[in-house]
Amino acid sequence: MESHSLSLDLTIGFAKQSILQEPSPPPCLREELKRVTEENMKLTSMLATMCESYDALRAQLIDMIGPNAAVASSEGARSSSPPSAKRKSAESAGDAANSVSSTNSCKKAKEEGSKPKIWKLYARTDPSDSSLVVRDGYQWRKYGQKVTRDNPCPRAYFRCSFAPTCPVKKKVQRSADDQCLLVATYEGEHNHNQSSAAEVENAVSRKTAGTADGFGAAGAPKTKDGRGEREEARKPELRERLVKDMASSLTKDPNFTAVIAAAISGRFFGISTAQEM
DNA sequence: CGCTTTTGACCCGCGC
DNA sequence: GCGCGGGTCAAAAGCG
């Protein structure tokens, strides 16, 4: 959401810029230009309002569920909560869309403190895309796949391959209810820095090129100890370029623009939509 | 050649 | 104790 708003904002900015750079448009276009500019201004302020609301809601959510819960993913993250319920029923990906479920057993929950953090991340994907890949900025190595009883879709098991000693694991499975929804369950904490911005950039460009795994384990450059080669590359210009890349890749996505348009029109113009955000 | 993915086998915990 | 099911291992295959 955050990045969606950001990219749309940027797009509006770029649009403004390109329109304003037109060399003295004919009078008939001036009115339209003025109208479009006003519309852009309006949209920008709407977005600012939406961002504020989002931040407020997010802060509330974090207050409610605690700092352990991760609210991430550019593709529509939801949340997690402290462990509850029995392991096998809680594991059901069927309740994923309703969020707030945990994977750990009661027993394990009691031992919490020494146990690794567990959280879930939900990502929307193209239903035709059969790969169980959730782009999260880390490098993962798949070590198993299993069809579980409560879900016909296979569950994939990944280890963090970014650093050899990293204890983090993740399980990825499609929701039984919504095949478009990937449920990634993370276990543990990374004992290294996240992939560098450069690698994120690689991921973005690879995604644009149509690669299935944006953070494919085979793709990123590595040093002997398995860390990213360009981990230090966090320069402002790189970030700026990264933001531009992300913005362009997002705005090229017709689904994204449709969702944003629906959201804006639904909220600000009273058009009711059944759009899921 | 080295690394990743695939996949069947095995291990282990849990419920009955 | 037994069976079931989830999680992991490891050999083979695939890929760049």
Side-chain angles (χ1 to χ4, degrees):
Chain A
M1 180 59 198
E2 221 165 19
S3 56
H4 287 181
S5 308
L6 173 66
S7 61
L8 186 59
D9 205 14
L10 284 169
T11 311
I12 292 165
F14 294 153
K16 269 188 210 170
Q17 205 178 2
S18 58
I19 291 167
L20 292 171
Q21 279 169 353
E22 288 287 326
S24 59
C28 57
L29 287 178
R30 280 191 192 159
E31 285 211 357
E32 191 172 347
L33 176 63
K34 193 181 169 186
R35 189 183 58 78
V36 169
T37 309
E38 280 170 7
E39 202 175 315
N40 278 337
M41 298 283 276
K42 208 185 292 178
L43 284 168
T44 308
S45 66
M46 284 173 182
L47 271 168
T49 314
M50 284 173 74
C51 288
E52 281 171 21
S53 307
Y54 168 74
D55 286 341
L57 279 169
R58 188 163 176 254
Q60 278 181 29
L61 183 64
I62 289 168
D63 281 348
M64 282 165 63
I65 63 183
N68 282 359
V71 183
S73 167
S74 62
E75 292 169 300
R78 295 299 180 266
S79 66
S80 70
S81 72
S84 66
K86 291 168 83 176
R87 177 182 177 174
K88 280 169 188 173
S89 58
E91 283 274 343
S92 166
D95 63 357
N98 299 325
S99 79
V100 194
S101 66
S102 164
T103 52
N104 224 355
S105 68
C106 293
K107 200 175 178 180
K108 281 182 182 175
K110 283 172 191 169
E111 294 164 10
E112 210 176 13
S114 60
K115 288 291 164 188
K117 287 181 185 177
I118 292 178
W119 73 94
K120 282 190 172 186
L121 185 148
Y122 304 99
R124 284 221 163 268
T125 61
D126 188 337
S128 62
D129 180 11
S130 59
S131 64
L132 290 167
V133 172
V134 176
R135 297 179 183 85
D136 53 18
Y138 288 95
Q139 239 182 299
W140 299 96
R141 177 184 171 160
K142 190 176 179 181
Y143 67 90
Q145 182 167 315
K146 205 60 177 189
V147 176
T148 55
R149 217 182 67 155
D150 46 24
N151 192 337
C153 303
R155 175 184 295 168
Y157 299 89
F158 297 90
R159 280 201 187 94
C160 181
S161 65
F162 194 66
T165 56
C166 182
V168 180
K169 290 176 194 169
K170 89 170 170 183
K171 292 176 277 190
V172 181
Q173 188 172 33
R174 289 185 183 279
S175 166
D177 291 340
D178 183 358
Q179 306 266 311
C180 304
L181 194 67
L182 278 178
V183 184
T185 307
Y186 292 82
E187 212 174 305
E189 284 180 283
H190 295 275
N191 59 8
H192 54 85
N193 293 332
Q194 189 177 16
S195 304
S196 68
E199 281 169 318
V200 174
E201 182 189 24
N202 283 343
V204 169
S205 57
R206 261 181 261 141
K207 181 191 172 188
T208 312
T211 311
D213 184 358
F215 289 87
K222 276 192 276 184
T223 53
K224 280 177 192 172
D225 65 356
R227 286 170 187 266
E229 214 168 57
R230 291 180 287 172
E231 202 163 321
E232 306 306 318
R234 292 168 195 264
K235 296 172 187 172
E237 56 268 38
L238 193 59
R239 289 183 60 186
E240 196 176 305
R241 197 180 140 199
L242 175 63
V243 167
K244 282 181 186 174
D245 280 349
M246 289 171 81
S248 72
S249 82
L250 279 171
T251 50
K252 276 176 196 164
D253 183 352
N255 291 334
F256 166 68
T257 47
V259 165
I260 290 295
I264 290 171
S265 59
R267 171 168 171 171
F268 293 97
F269 304 113
I271 300 166
S272 69
T273 62
Q275 191 67 49
E276 185 193 23
M277 280 299 281

